[in-house]
Structures are given as C-alpha cells and as structure tokens.
Amino acid sequence: MTRAAILIGTTAALLTGCAIPAAQTGVAPIAGTALGLSADPAPVIAADWWRGFGDPQLDRLVGEAVAGSPSLDAALARVAQAQAVLATNRANDGPDVTLDAQGQYARLSGRYTIPPPYAGTTRFIGTVAANLSWNLDLFGRQKAAIAGARESLRAAALDLAAARLALSGAVVQTYIDLKRAEAQARIAGRTIATRQNTLRLVNVRIRNKLGSKLDAQAATTLLAQARQALVRAQASQVLAKNALAALAGRGADYQATIGPTALKLDAVLPTPTMIPADLLARRADIAAAQARIVAAAAGRQVARRAFYPNVNLAALAGFQAIGLGNLLSLDAGTVGVGPAVHLPIFDSGRMKADLAGATAALDLATAEYNQRVIGAVREAADAVARIGALDADRARQREVVRGYTETGRLNAIRVSSGLDSRLDLVDNDVRLLAAEQADADLAANAAQQRVQLVLALGGGVDFQDVTR
C-alpha cells in the first residue's frame, strides 16, 4: 500500500518536476564583515543594566512597566498567534480521523440498478463510517510549512524581547528627564533665594539713598526670570511623571507613587568607544529579522513544492445498509483503504504566481534585515559619537559656569563697595542661570546617550533560548 503510494507519487513528480519555473532571489543579506566593525567585543551588559544607576525607585518603575504596560500586549498577541499557526501546521502533518453517520428514508428507483425487492419501494438507508485521511508529505511541503511557522514564532518571541528592552529603555530615559527637571527646579530655587536676598539689599540701598529704582527694577526682573524657570521645571516634572504612568499602563494617581529621584547620572554603564564586532549577535530585533528570512525561505519551499503531487492515504470502515435492521448486521460492514493522488496540471498560472510572490517575500525579508542591520550600526555609532561629544561639551560647560559664578562673586563685591550698581549685573546673572541650566541638561543628555548605547548594543537580552 505504501509502496504503491510512493510509486504513484514518484511517477507524477517526474511528469511535473520539469514544469517548476526558475525564480531567483534578488537580494542578499549584508555580511557583518562588510560593516567595518571593531575586532574587539563589547563589554558584557547585564539584563538588568538600569540597576547601575543605583536608584531602587527606578528598578520598581521598570518592573511595573514591563509587568503592566499595554504597549506589550500587541507583541504578546503576535506570539500567541504564531503559536497557533505552528500548532495548525503541525496538526496538518498528522492523520485526520472522522466519524460520519447518515440516515434517511428514500424511495428507491424502480428503473435503476437497484434490484427487487427494493426497487420502487421506500426504505431506510443508513451509513456509519470511520474515515482516515493522511497526507504522506512525500515531497516535504508540509515539513517546510512547519519550519516556516516555527521561525515565525521565534521571530515573534524575539520581537517581544526587543519590545521589553525598548520599554525598559523608555522608562529609564523618561526617569532621567524627571531627574533633569528636578535639577532645573533646584537651580531655579537656589537662584530665587539668592535674587530675593539681592532685592532686599537693593531696597535697603534705595532707602539709604545709595541706589535707584533702576536697580530695584533690575533685581525684580532677575527674580521674575528665576521664578519662571522654576514654573517650567515643575511643569516638566509633572509631564515626566505622566509619561512614566503611561509607560506602566497606569492612571493619573500613579504620580503619587513616584518620589524624588536618587539617580546617579554619572553612573558607569558599559560604553565601548568602538562598535563591537559582535553587535549583530547581541540584538534581539536583528535575530528576529534573521528568523523572518528563514521563515520566508521556508514559505518559498512550500510554493515550489506545490508543483509536486499530494499523495494521501485514505481509509474507511463502517456499515452501509438498506433498512434499519440490516444496518447493524455483520454483512453490512464495509472497509476500504488506498492512496489518493492530487496532481496539478493546469491552473492558469496560479502556482507560478504563488512562487513569484514567495520569492518576493524572501527578498523583502532580506531587505528589511539589511535595513535593520544598517540602522543598528548607525544607532551604535551615533551613540558612541554623541557620548564623546557630550563629555567634551560638559567639560567646557563647567568652565562656563565657573566663569560666570566667579564674575558674579567679584561683581557682588564691587556692588557692596558702591563701585557698581545692580543694573550692571543683570547680564551676568541671566547668563549664569542659563549656564547652570545648560549644565544640568548636558548631564542628563549624557546619561540618556549612555542608555541609548546600551540599547543599541542589545541591552543584555539573552535570546539564545527563545522558543524554536
């Protein structure tokens, strides 16, 4: 029986194999050696890399976001969908067993093949049969479909890992924005206290006929500017907390659970100065793109093997009888088994179009992989370059702050000595506040760029054991 099925399938394959069109792919994956990566591997990144900032509250916020964020729901649903597709394809590779039962009263023709005494009478006709159908998959079409579904599931699981990393990175960077806003508020608060004291001194000088209203107006303007900076910083704090609540999938009441930050902006994170050679092997999103190439290649094999015949093994066992009493007799038993072959001969070009579409899908998956690789290299290169530039910028900005601070101190001595008026100090005070705010911005930006580099290097995600 099996030998007959193989013989039939082989003969049919010889008749149709020569009709399979040649469909060549047009896009090749970019090789890692062509990207100019450093020969040195990057330092190991821990899966919980954000703990390097030394803030337990940040650890809690990341955990709550990963556990409850609605932004992961779509990725989780895609994993479940891919699992269902894989289960369906695996089921299609096994035997199907069904039970059919049918009964009806019918008048049997008196002028047909039915002999007396049944001809021309109304009788009960019944059938009860168990049926077996099994696609033998002699040419591996179903095997290729299973392999493609397995890789699609792996890609979905890797997408989930990448989404979790992106969410963690978003929480950390938003938390750094909150730290930035707190620093800006402290600078503004300190400046307000200083300028309030200055305004009091100016008023004393005016009462003693040593100052003018211009001095008072200058001091009042400076105080208003500092208060404006405080209002803006406080608004930024609220917005950052709102963003953290949204990332965690929580409401406005979540703000009350977020206290002052204890973030160490200068915390040391793994930040190589060159793009490591193992960059592509570290990133879950690139591994997902690779899995999609494999899945598309399997889909192309499915389309190619559609040109070969399907060989099924069919069997049935049951009872067929005329008359309800006869249905349960042993003589009413029936059984049958044998191969069934479906051979494609002419379909108006449908299978050729399917093969061309599958080949294009493989090219598309490869092109998307190449784009992802180029993007990953650029992300890492940009982060490395920005970290270096920000470090230099911060060093110069500290010199600027020190310069304005010293100028302000010397000017204050001159004012107290009666050599200058407060009006002469307005420009320096304005510039000092702006310089201190810029210094706080640069500190936060540098921390965010280090986070960006960690994300560009894969974020320590261990995806080697992702479902296969």
Side-chain angles (χ1 to χ4, degrees):
M1 178 177 58
T2 303
R3 186 178 301 172
I6 295 174
L7 179 61
I8 293 172
T10 303
T11 302
L14 291 175
L15 293 174
T16 60
C18 60
I20 301 177
Q24 301 297 325
T25 57
V27 183
I30 293 177
T33 54
L35 297 172
L37 303 181
S38 169
D40 299 326
V44 176
I45 299 175
D48 54 353
W49 50 269
W50 55 84
R51 293 183 182 275
F53 284 107
D55 190 335
Q57 180 172 246
L58 174 59
D59 303 338
R60 174 180 65 84
L61 293 175
V62 172
E64 290 176 352
V66 171
S69 175
S71 64
L72 294 180
D73 291 345
L76 288 166
R78 282 191 288 269
V79 171
Q81 185 181 49
Q83 288 173 332
V85 171
L86 176 58
T88 299
N89 279 280
R90 283 174 171 166
N92 290 338
D93 195 41
D96 286 336
V97 178
T98 60
L99 178 65
D100 295 325
Q102 181 179 359
Q104 62 177 344
Y105 282 93
R107 184 184 184 280
L108 305 179
S109 173
R111 295 289 188 270
Y112 196 50
T113 59
I114 301 173
Y118 300 110
T121 63
T122 300
R123 303 279 181 164
F124 174 83
I125 301 175
T127 300
V128 178
N131 305 288
L132 169 69
S133 177
W134 192 353
N135 187 335
L136 299 181
D137 195 29
L138 298 181
F139 302 101
R141 182 182 182 187
Q142 193 56 40
K143 181 179 179 181
I146 292 173
R150 184 183 300 115
E151 288 302 316
S152 293
L153 172 58
R154 176 171 166 78
L158 288 165
D159 283 340
L160 176 59
R164 283 176 174 151
L165 173 61
L167 177 61
S168 300
V171 171
V172 175
Q173 291 185 319
T174 304
Y175 196 74
I176 291 173
D177 279 333
L178 177 58
K179 179 72 172 181
R180 181 205 311 268
E182 289 177 347
Q184 299 283 18
R186 283 194 298 272
I187 292 169
R190 185 173 64 248
T191 304
I192 288 172
T194 300
R195 292 181 179 179
Q196 284 176 334
N197 184 57
T198 299
L199 180 58
R200 285 194 294 270
L201 293 175
V202 168
N203 288 330
V204 170
R205 288 172 58 85
I206 291 174
R207 286 195 297 270
N208 293 326
K209 309 299 182 180
L210 298 175
S212 67
K213 290 186 177 180
L214 283 176
D215 295 325
Q217 185 61 50
T220 301
T221 301
L222 290 172
L223 180 58
Q225 183 208 24
R227 285 172 173 166
Q228 181 188 46
L230 179 59
V231 169
R232 291 175 176 175
Q234 290 172 337
S236 295
Q237 287 179 273
V238 173
L239 293 176
K241 290 182 179 181
N242 287 344
L244 289 170
L247 289 170
R250 304 286 288 274
D253 59 337
Y254 194 66
Q255 280 200 32
T257 69
I258 304 175
T261 65
L263 200 67
K264 300 174 183 176
L265 288 180
D266 291 325
V268 177
L269 295 179
T271 52
T273 57
M274 300 291 291
I275 306 175
D278 59 351
L279 169 66
L280 304 186
R282 290 170 170 263
R283 293 187 50 142
D285 58 337
I286 291 179
Q290 289 175 324
R292 288 192 172 89
I293 291 178
V294 177
R300 186 167 179 264
Q301 288 300 316
V302 171
R304 285 183 61 85
R305 290 166 186 174
F307 287 86
Y308 293 97
N310 278 330
V311 180
N312 293 323
L313 179 63
L316 64 87
F319 299 91
Q320 294 175 331
I322 298 177
L324 182 60
N326 296 329
L327 184 61
L328 300 179
S329 66
L330 293 178
D331 196 39
T334 181
V335 64
V337 63
V341 178
H342 172 77
L343 177 64
I345 297 177
F346 179 74
D347 66 349
S348 300
R350 184 179 299 108
M351 288 188 298
K352 289 183 180 180
D354 289 344
L355 178 56
T359 302
L362 177 55
D363 283 341
L364 178 61
T366 304
E368 289 177 345
Y369 166 80
N370 290 343
Q371 289 178 342
R372 187 65 59 88
V373 167
I374 295 299
V377 173
R378 179 178 178 179
E379 288 172 10
D382 285 351
V384 169
R386 285 171 180 156
I387 287 172
L390 281 167
D391 287 343
D393 198 355
R394 289 182 66 195
R396 303 290 81 79
Q397 186 62 37
R398 291 193 190 100
E399 293 177 3
V400 172
V401 172
R402 285 194 295 270
Y404 283 128
T405 301
E406 180 62 14
T407 300
R409 186 184 71 82
L410 295 175
N411 284 341
I413 294 174
R414 291 176 61 83
V415 169
S416 62
S417 302
L419 299 177
D420 277 322
S421 70
R422 187 64 203 177
L423 185 61
D424 298 327
L425 308 185
V426 171
D427 183 65
N428 187 80
D429 282 354
V430 171
R431 290 177 182 273
L432 175 59
L433 176 59
E436 289 179 329
Q437 290 175 325
D439 184 53
D441 277 337
L442 287 172
N445 289 343
Q448 287 184 328
Q449 282 305 313
R450 289 196 298 275
V451 170
Q452 189 61 41
L453 181 56
V454 167
L455 299 178
L457 296 177
V461 175
D462 183 8
F463 53 82
Q464 300 303 320
D465 295 328
V466 171
T467 304
R468 291 185 175 273

